[in-house]
Amino acid sequence: MQRTIVIGNISLDTIHRPGHLPVRQLGGAALHLAMAAARAGLPAAPASAVGDDLAGLPDDPRLPALDWTHLHPAPELSAAFTIHYDDEGTVTAVDTAYGAAEHLTAHTLQVIDRHPEAAFHISCRHPLNVPAVLASLTERGCSFSLDF
């Protein structure tokens, strides 16, 4: 079965809801889509750049079995989103620090070069240079999808 490489951010997010203490949780489409694919029995690998703060992800027993070979270590902290909700559950503000994800485009282009036979799913707009990634995928005739 063809492996799907999910391109995007993996982040450490802080969620603010009125009347509750802030909650920190793992976020990022690359992680959540790869986990959903793995739980459905599909081979999946997130392709993401993370800092030392998330370097232990491959050893986390709470996460489903993923192919972590495309996790790129970077010296900065991982991407972080601070998300604020109102009383109705509507997002009112999002603050972003891309951190290690600034390395995502270069890392992604290397992954595509090394694995043109894989299926790719792009789930990231920022800070990914989407036109460069799409050009690389189409030039190599790669199978891909996107959801932004």
Side-chain angles (χ1 to χ4, degrees):
M1 183 178 298
Q2 188 177 35
R3 174 178 55 165
T4 298
I5 298 174
V6 183
I7 299 166
N9 294 315
I10 297 177
S11 57
L12 189 54
D13 302 341
T14 304
I15 309 301
H16 294 271
R17 297 183 189 278
H20 298 277
L21 292 173
V23 175
R24 293 199 65 180
Q25 63 187 35
L26 285 174
L31 177 64
H32 291 291
L33 290 170
M35 287 186 346
R39 287 183 178 127
L42 303 171
S48 192
V50 299
D52 289 338
D53 55 336
L54 293 181
L57 282 176
D59 301 321
D60 191 326
R62 299 168 297 175
L63 299 176
L66 292 174
D67 174 352
W68 292 103
T69 59
H70 305 302
L71 198 63
H72 176 71
E76 296 86 0
L77 291 176
S78 298
F81 295 86
T82 302
I83 306 167
H84 299 268
Y85 291 87
D86 64 15
D87 288 327
E88 286 77 39
T90 302
V91 174
T92 59
V94 177
D95 300 313
T96 307
Y98 288 112
E102 295 290 347
H103 301 273
L104 183 57
T105 298
H107 174 58
T108 296
L109 294 173
Q110 290 174 355
V111 171
I112 293 167
D113 282 343
R114 289 193 309 262
H115 302 282
E117 76 291 346
F120 293 88
H121 181 78
I122 305 164
S123 191
C124 181
R125 288 178 295 163
H126 300 291
L128 187 68
N129 181 340
V130 175
V133 170
L134 292 177
S136 180
L137 290 166
T138 56
E139 287 169 6
R140 287 162 184 71
C142 298
S143 173
F144 70 91
S145 58
L146 43 92
D147 69 17
F148 52 84

